Amino acid sequence: MHGPASPGWLLVALCAATGAYCLLRMRSGVEEQRRAAGGEALMGFGMAAMAVPPAVFTPPAWAWPAYAVVFGAAALRALWSARAGAHHLHHLVGAGAMVYMAAVMAGTPAHSHRHGGSGVPLLTGALLAYFTGYVLLAGVRLLPAAGAGGAAVAWGDRPEVARACRLSMGIGMLTMLLTM
């Protein structure tokens, strides 16, 4: 992604930490939690790799098509999983956005460090609108409910931490789309 190095490193750290937490969630005793955590870990680490500032590391020419293939496969898996529940459609949109960003970056010269203006404006705008709505909704969902409490839950199974993880990935996706 294009942009200054400092925010790029913050985005790398945010996405890598989110991916690491999602790996911890894969140890959950809840099967659905494990399945979702694997895809989210892939997204977190993939976003971290894509966000490394180009002044520090310029990926080889084959890296962007490889990202597109990996996230294309993740999109197909999300499409298949969407048969069981509509909540998998968010994973489909996220993986599709990653494929789109990888395709745009593959078509951008390595020496070009423009800020914005890359990609298809209508598609970029639609993705920005979707992820903005998602971030706002995810933020509202983090607000504590009145009288919420309950039994102790394992650290990797805490729903509010998983929601915060998804919120941070949504914010990261917004940032990447804005700096593309």
PDB file of all heavy atoms in Angstrom, residues 22 47 55-56 91 105 107 116 125 133 140 142 149 164 168 171:
ATOM      1  N   CYS A  22      -6.087 -14.142  16.570  1.00  0.00           N
ATOM      2  CA  CYS A  22      -6.966 -15.088  15.878  1.00  0.00           C
ATOM      3  C   CYS A  22      -6.375 -16.496  15.882  1.00  0.00           C
ATOM      4  O   CYS A  22      -7.114 -17.485  15.956  1.00  0.00           O
ATOM      5  CB  CYS A  22      -7.249 -14.611  14.462  1.00  0.00           C
ATOM      6  SG  CYS A  22      -8.290 -13.138  14.415  1.00  0.00           S
ATOM      7  N   MET A  47      -3.050  -8.859   5.596  1.00  0.00           N
ATOM      8  CA  MET A  47      -3.110  -7.398   5.633  1.00  0.00           C
ATOM      9  C   MET A  47      -1.795  -6.825   6.167  1.00  0.00           C
ATOM     10  O   MET A  47      -1.312  -5.801   5.669  1.00  0.00           O
ATOM     11  CB  MET A  47      -4.294  -6.937   6.479  1.00  0.00           C
ATOM     12  CG  MET A  47      -5.635  -7.198   5.811  1.00  0.00           C
ATOM     13  SD  MET A  47      -7.056  -6.960   6.905  1.00  0.00           S
ATOM     14  CE  MET A  47      -6.912  -5.230   7.315  1.00  0.00           C
ATOM     15  N   ALA A  55       8.894   1.729   1.133  1.00  0.00           N
ATOM     16  CA  ALA A  55      10.244   2.270   1.289  1.00  0.00           C
ATOM     17  C   ALA A  55      11.155   1.285   2.020  1.00  0.00           C
ATOM     18  O   ALA A  55      12.374   1.325   1.871  1.00  0.00           O
ATOM     19  CB  ALA A  55      10.195   3.588   2.068  1.00  0.00           C
ATOM     20  N   VAL A  56      10.547   0.376   2.781  1.00  0.00           N
ATOM     21  CA  VAL A  56      11.303  -0.610   3.546  1.00  0.00           C
ATOM     22  C   VAL A  56      11.481  -1.897   2.750  1.00  0.00           C
ATOM     23  O   VAL A  56      12.563  -2.469   2.701  1.00  0.00           O
ATOM     24  CB  VAL A  56      10.578  -0.918   4.881  1.00  0.00           C
ATOM     25  CG1 VAL A  56      11.283  -2.011   5.641  1.00  0.00           C
ATOM     26  CG2 VAL A  56      10.463   0.341   5.715  1.00  0.00           C
ATOM     27  N   HIS A  91     -16.842 -12.239   5.240  1.00  0.00           N
ATOM     28  CA  HIS A  91     -15.535 -12.812   4.905  1.00  0.00           C
ATOM     29  C   HIS A  91     -15.336 -12.807   3.389  1.00  0.00           C
ATOM     30  O   HIS A  91     -14.225 -12.580   2.907  1.00  0.00           O
ATOM     31  CB  HIS A  91     -15.399 -14.226   5.457  1.00  0.00           C
ATOM     32  CG  HIS A  91     -15.399 -14.281   6.939  1.00  0.00           C
ATOM     33  ND1 HIS A  91     -14.275 -14.015   7.693  1.00  0.00           N
ATOM     34  CD2 HIS A  91     -16.393 -14.542   7.825  1.00  0.00           C
ATOM     35  CE1 HIS A  91     -14.569 -14.117   8.970  1.00  0.00           C
ATOM     36  NE2 HIS A  91     -15.843 -14.430   9.075  1.00  0.00           N
ATOM     37  N   MET A 105      -2.374  -3.338  -6.890  1.00  0.00           N
ATOM     38  CA  MET A 105      -0.952  -3.178  -6.589  1.00  0.00           C
ATOM     39  C   MET A 105      -0.089  -3.887  -7.637  1.00  0.00           C
ATOM     40  O   MET A 105       1.009  -3.428  -7.937  1.00  0.00           O
ATOM     41  CB  MET A 105      -0.632  -3.690  -5.187  1.00  0.00           C
ATOM     42  CG  MET A 105      -1.291  -2.868  -4.084  1.00  0.00           C
ATOM     43  SD  MET A 105      -0.991  -1.098  -4.183  1.00  0.00           S
ATOM     44  CE  MET A 105       0.736  -1.049  -3.783  1.00  0.00           C
ATOM     45  N   GLY A 107      -0.702  -3.957 -10.718  1.00  0.00           N
ATOM     46  CA  GLY A 107      -0.685  -3.081 -11.881  1.00  0.00           C
ATOM     47  C   GLY A 107      -0.022  -1.742 -11.637  1.00  0.00           C
ATOM     48  O   GLY A 107       0.101  -0.931 -12.548  1.00  0.00           O
ATOM     49  N   GLY A 116      -3.344   7.576  -3.113  1.00  0.00           N
ATOM     50  CA  GLY A 116      -4.709   7.511  -3.620  1.00  0.00           C
ATOM     51  C   GLY A 116      -4.743   7.533  -5.137  1.00  0.00           C
ATOM     52  O   GLY A 116      -3.751   7.700  -5.814  1.00  0.00           O
ATOM     53  N   GLY A 125     -14.902   3.010  -3.885  1.00  0.00           N
ATOM     54  CA  GLY A 125     -15.919   3.729  -3.108  1.00  0.00           C
ATOM     55  C   GLY A 125     -16.925   2.792  -2.467  1.00  0.00           C
ATOM     56  O   GLY A 125     -17.314   2.982  -1.309  1.00  0.00           O
ATOM     57  N   GLY A 133     -19.400   1.308   7.112  1.00  0.00           N
ATOM     58  CA  GLY A 133     -20.598   0.825   7.798  1.00  0.00           C
ATOM     59  C   GLY A 133     -20.278  -0.319   8.742  1.00  0.00           C
ATOM     60  O   GLY A 133     -20.791  -0.387   9.868  1.00  0.00           O
ATOM     61  N   VAL A 140     -20.396  -0.150  17.607  1.00  0.00           N
ATOM     62  CA  VAL A 140     -21.611  -0.114  18.426  1.00  0.00           C
ATOM     63  C   VAL A 140     -21.805  -1.437  19.145  1.00  0.00           C
ATOM     64  O   VAL A 140     -22.212  -1.464  20.317  1.00  0.00           O
ATOM     65  CB  VAL A 140     -22.841   0.236  17.550  1.00  0.00           C
ATOM     66  CG1 VAL A 140     -24.140  -0.003  18.292  1.00  0.00           C
ATOM     67  CG2 VAL A 140     -22.749   1.677  17.079  1.00  0.00           C
ATOM     68  N   LEU A 142     -19.638  -3.273  20.346  1.00  0.00           N
ATOM     69  CA  LEU A 142     -18.702  -3.391  21.466  1.00  0.00           C
ATOM     70  C   LEU A 142     -19.204  -2.696  22.729  1.00  0.00           C
ATOM     71  O   LEU A 142     -18.685  -2.938  23.812  1.00  0.00           O
ATOM     72  CB  LEU A 142     -17.339  -2.809  21.093  1.00  0.00           C
ATOM     73  CG  LEU A 142     -16.434  -3.716  20.286  1.00  0.00           C
ATOM     74  CD1 LEU A 142     -15.166  -2.980  19.909  1.00  0.00           C
ATOM     75  CD2 LEU A 142     -16.104  -4.979  21.044  1.00  0.00           C
ATOM     76  N   GLY A 149     -23.263  -9.670  32.022  1.00  0.00           N
ATOM     77  CA  GLY A 149     -22.375 -10.366  32.945  1.00  0.00           C
ATOM     78  C   GLY A 149     -22.448 -11.828  32.583  1.00  0.00           C
ATOM     79  O   GLY A 149     -22.839 -12.180  31.494  1.00  0.00           O
ATOM     80  N   ALA A 164     -13.752  -7.065  18.892  1.00  0.00           N
ATOM     81  CA  ALA A 164     -12.716  -6.022  18.812  1.00  0.00           C
ATOM     82  C   ALA A 164     -11.683  -6.388  17.742  1.00  0.00           C
ATOM     83  O   ALA A 164     -11.181  -5.509  17.025  1.00  0.00           O
ATOM     84  CB  ALA A 164     -12.049  -5.833  20.164  1.00  0.00           C
ATOM     85  N   SER A 168     -10.853  -4.103  14.510  1.00  0.00           N
ATOM     86  CA  SER A 168      -9.517  -3.630  14.136  1.00  0.00           C
ATOM     87  C   SER A 168      -9.177  -4.036  12.710  1.00  0.00           C
ATOM     88  O   SER A 168      -8.539  -3.269  11.982  1.00  0.00           O
ATOM     89  CB  SER A 168      -8.463  -4.132  15.124  1.00  0.00           C
ATOM     90  OG  SER A 168      -8.326  -5.522  15.046  1.00  0.00           O
ATOM     91  N   ILE A 171     -11.000  -1.579  10.477  1.00  0.00           N
ATOM     92  CA  ILE A 171     -10.288  -0.300  10.450  1.00  0.00           C
ATOM     93  C   ILE A 171      -9.046  -0.416   9.566  1.00  0.00           C
ATOM     94  O   ILE A 171      -8.734   0.482   8.774  1.00  0.00           O
ATOM     95  CB  ILE A 171      -9.915   0.143  11.881  1.00  0.00           C
ATOM     96  CG1 ILE A 171     -11.184   0.494  12.657  1.00  0.00           C
ATOM     97  CG2 ILE A 171      -8.941   1.321  11.861  1.00  0.00           C
ATOM     98  CD1 ILE A 171     -10.957   0.681  14.143  1.00  0.00           C
TER      99      ILE A 171
END
